[in-house]
Amino acid sequence: MNSFLDIHTTGKADLRAMIDSARRMKDARNGRPKGAPDDDLPLKNRMVALIFEKPSTRTRVSFDVGVRQLGGQTMILSGADLQLGHGETIADTARVLSRFVDMIMIRTFEEATLQEMAEHASVPVINGLTNRTHPCQIMADILTYEEHRGSIAGKKVVWSGDGNNVCASLMQAAGQFGFDFTFTGPPTLDPEQVWVDFARGQGVKVEIERDPVKAVEGADLVVTDTWVSMHDPQSAKERRHNQLRAYQVNEALMVHAKPDALFMHCLPAHRDEEVTSAVMDGPNSVVFDEAENRLHAQKAVMRWCLGV
């Protein structure tokens, strides 16, 4: 049994196998209706619990559809349904759910919730997102880059904006997949030093560059994310906008990257804030391929977790 908790705790060979598996499954669907099952149904007769303490569109739909395409069934539970850590400990919830389902995906706030769930569950647990990391998104991003440009190894990836949970997982991926990483953003929103150290420890180049124009020079991929969370108070939103305005991804910035550099955003985007519509809808943007690839990457993750 394998749990998929973070990119840096998953072996490089396993990560590569998941990306390759995702590509094969995507190719094998051959434009068939979205509700049609895959030819291979490794989750037949299996039940997957999808827990959402934090609301979601892409994570919920992609996991639900993915389980069904693989022949399984889903049980979707909100934080209110479970009252995680309130009416019952997370450890006990994990033990109970493991008696009813074959796998658990959890999208939550605190990393400790995910870790406790995984520690006490007797079925695989998948990290659908925490405040600290978002590994499933980055697996989709790697898949997206490679289907457009080939191997990501040795490429230059630039993150512009807030060193948040998506940035953290992308830095982990730099170490595991062997690409160079540049962060550009204000010092107050730097990524955690532990992720910088991890990637550098794997032998890749990691830079912090305050000037966004210098940062994107020679970039093969430019990535950003929203500046504020739906849960942030208004005062925090105003501070974030003031700090990050210089790091907006726009046409003037993208012209300094390689001519064929791709642009990614995990969505939902606040158009004309962290990225302009001209870039998001432009020829170098692959944001909707990236969104679709959550489905295919997560199907590969689930198969890996169950060894099927």
Side-chain angles (χ1 to χ4, degrees), residues 141-283:
D141 293 357
I142 301 299
L143 174 62
T144 305
Y145 184 88
E146 295 198 339
E147 70 181 0
H148 283 273
R149 296 288 187 266
S151 174
I152 198 168
K155 303 300 183 181
K156 179 180 178 179
V157 176
V158 177
W159 178 278
S160 183
D162 176 12
N164 63 10
N165 54 354
V166 184
C167 178
S169 288
L170 190 58
M171 293 189 79
Q172 294 173 14
Q176 299 292 64
F177 287 94
F179 57 86
D180 294 333
F181 185 92
T182 299
F183 171 83
T184 186
T188 51
L189 298 175
D190 276 352
E192 290 184 55
Q193 187 63 39
V194 65
W195 307 136
V196 176
D197 294 342
F198 171 79
R200 286 176 176 164
Q202 300 301 304
V204 299
K205 184 178 180 181
V206 178
E207 295 184 318
I208 308 293
E209 172 56 65
R210 302 301 172 199
D211 184 339
V213 171
K214 290 182 180 178
V216 302
E217 289 176 354
D220 297 284
L221 170 63
V222 178
V223 192
T224 193
D225 195 4
T226 53
W227 290 345
V228 295
S229 167
M230 67 181 74
H231 306 286
D232 290 337
Q234 185 60 35
S235 58
K237 292 179 181 180
E238 292 171 1
R239 286 196 303 273
R240 286 293 184 93
H241 278 80
N242 290 335
Q243 289 177 294
L244 289 163
R245 193 168 286 114
Y247 298 96
Q248 181 190 68
V249 180
N250 50 41
E251 290 175 291
L253 183 64
M254 287 296 292
V255 76
H256 295 281
K258 288 183 178 177
D260 65 344
L262 297 180
F263 169 74
M264 291 189 191
H265 188 305
C266 67
L267 303 181
H270 296 165
R271 285 173 175 264
D272 300 313
E273 290 186 9
E274 71 272 7
V275 58
T276 60
S277 290
V279 170
M280 190 166 161
D281 298 327

Side-chain angles (χ1 to χ4, degrees), residues 75-89:
M75 176 185 298
I76 298 176
L77 302 165
S78 71
D81 293 327
L82 296 175
Q83 297 183 336
L84 283 173
H86 300 294
E88 181 177 57
T89 67

Side-chain angles (χ1 to χ4, degrees), residues 17-85:
M18 284 184 257
I19 295 295
D20 294 344
S21 172
R23 185 70 178 271
R24 288 193 298 271
M25 285 187 286
K26 182 177 182 178
D27 291 345
R29 290 199 60 81
N30 294 320
R32 68 181 67 184
K34 304 299 187 296
D38 286 1
D39 292 329
D40 184 21
L41 301 176
L43 297 191
K44 185 177 181 181
N45 299 323
R46 296 183 190 257
M47 178 66 71
V48 181
L50 306 178
I51 301 173
F52 293 93
E53 270 201 300
K54 207 169 189 178
S56 164
T57 299
R58 274 149 293 278
T59 300
R60 175 168 178 162
V61 174
S62 57
F63 266 107
D64 193 9
V65 172
V67 171
R68 295 176 190 224
Q69 287 183 354
L70 293 176
Q73 299 181 63
T74 59
M75 176 185 298
I76 298 176
L77 302 165
S78 71
D81 293 327
L82 296 175
Q83 297 183 336
L84 283 173

